[in-house]
Amino acid sequence: MMKKQPKPDDILIGMKIRARRVAIGMSQEKLGEAVGVTFQQIQKYEKGTNRVGGSRLMQIAAALKTTAPNLMPLENAEPVTEDAGPSVYAIRLAIQIENLPDKHRAVVSDLVRVLSNEVTATAAAAA
């Protein structure tokens, strides 16, 4: 029997929860206490292994001092506030990179670093 794989949206939600939690310096244990679950359950939410129900997502958002839509991977959502963590593009890129073999991850990482440095250098030269 094949192992059940997490759905992409569950992974995205989990990544946004983790990014926000880390951004505000909260541990998985503290978040779990705030919403009434164990830190292991928070780990499962963050990995996308377990789906986050609607009411639980609202509790998590409140504990993370943000809104539930900021934790959702919505294509046509209102602009996300700065406190929401990484952009949907960054999350999607991270998921795709995770699916690559190690040797390809290094190549993609180097490419992104070079492009980022080029953009930064161009912006500095224009200023």
Side-chain angles (χ1 to χ4, degrees), residues 3-113:
K3 184 178 174 185
K4 188 175 176 184
Q5 295 294 315
K7 302 282 190 243
D9 283 342
D10 296 326
I11 294 169
L12 288 170
I13 290 168
M15 290 178 76
K16 290 189 98 169
I17 290 170
R18 177 176 167 73
R20 176 63 183 157
R21 179 183 59 74
V22 170
I24 65 169
M26 182 182 282
S27 68
Q28 288 177 330
E29 185 175 3
K30 289 291 182 192
L31 179 56
E33 288 172 7
V35 300
V37 299
T38 64
F39 79 90
Q40 292 96 335
Q41 183 63 38
I42 297 299
Q43 286 176 334
K44 290 177 182 180
Y45 288 152
E46 289 182 356
K47 289 180 182 179
T49 306
N50 287 7
R51 288 186 173 168
V52 182
S55 60
R56 180 74 71 210
L57 186 63
M58 299 291 285
Q59 290 176 314
I60 290 171
L64 296 175
K65 297 177 177 52
T66 189
T67 63
N70 282 338
L71 301 175
M72 301 283 294
L74 303 175
E75 292 279 335
N76 299 319
E78 294 293 318
V80 177
T81 60
E82 288 184 22
D83 72 345
S87 72
V88 171
Y89 299 110
I91 293 169
R92 286 184 183 151
L93 180 60
I95 289 170
Q96 294 305 316
I97 289 173
E98 280 297 310
N99 292 328
L100 295 174
D102 286 341
K103 67 180 182 179
H104 293 123
R105 285 183 197 170
V107 171
V108 171
S109 178
D110 289 344
L111 173 64
V112 171
R113 182 180 39 77

